Amino acid sequence: MSPLRAPAAARTDMTFHQMLERIRYEGAYPTRERAEDVARAVLEALGRQLTGDVRVDLAACLPAEAALVLTSRTPDSRPLTGWGFVKDLAARTGGTPATTRWDTGAVLAAVGHLAGPGLLDRILAQLPSGYALLFGRPELIQAA
């Protein structure tokens, strides 16, 4: 860990069940099982995009079951843009890009809440363009 930043504040007071209920509400899913399927797919895909301290700090903020899913896969060697992330996840799950974008937003809204603004800033700084919108934030682009 870098001595210039404080560790992420763990918000593990939310249980996995509570996280799924939040995702179910955000995504308007009919069942908790559907919310869990979506959560697992998005968390696994996100885990393939994050590396280093950011990945470790995010896992520490999530309920244990969600952290295990996030860290279950080795990070990809080539990161995807936000749109690439959605298209890749749609191909892996058999969904359409539109429904996968919806699913991603529902899960990442809960993840962003648990991460908090400081860690979410670090996550977005590590990822290529296009992820801010997936987390429900405006995409700020610097002028060249």
Side-chain angles (χ1 to χ4, degrees):
M1 173 171 37
S2 168
L4 299 177
R5 66 174 177 77
R11 294 188 185 190
T12 55
D13 54 326
M14 183 181 285
T15 67
F16 188 57
H17 179 76
Q18 290 168 327
M19 181 181 172
L20 293 177
E21 285 303 315
R22 183 179 183 113
I23 292 167
R24 181 178 176 192
Y25 176 79
E26 290 286 336
Y29 300 114
T31 65
R32 190 183 67 78
E33 290 76 20
R34 175 67 180 131
E36 184 171 353
D37 290 345
V38 167
R40 288 183 183 281
V42 173
L43 287 169
E44 184 178 284
L46 181 62
R48 288 192 304 270
Q49 298 302 305
L50 298 175
T51 61
D53 287 345
V54 169
R55 180 178 161 119
V56 171
D57 290 348
L58 178 57
C61 292
L62 299 175
E65 296 92 333
L68 288 172
V69 174
L70 180 81
T71 59
S72 67
R73 300 282 187 234
T74 304
D76 290 343
S77 59
R78 189 178 60 87
L80 299 169
T81 64
W83 180 236
F85 178 86
V86 170
K87 290 191 308 185
D88 181 67
L89 185 56
R92 289 175 188 268
T93 61
T96 66
T99 58
T100 303
R101 168 58 182 94
W102 179 269
D103 295 343
T104 301
V107 175
L108 295 185
V111 169
H113 170 76
L114 288 166
L119 179 54
L120 186 51
D121 287 344
R122 291 177 41 226
I123 291 168
L124 293 174
Q126 183 181 96
L127 295 169
S129 66
Y131 283 87
L133 292 173
L134 298 176
F135 279 96
R137 281 193 172 181
E139 183 79 32
L140 302 177
I141 300 172
Q142 296 180 345

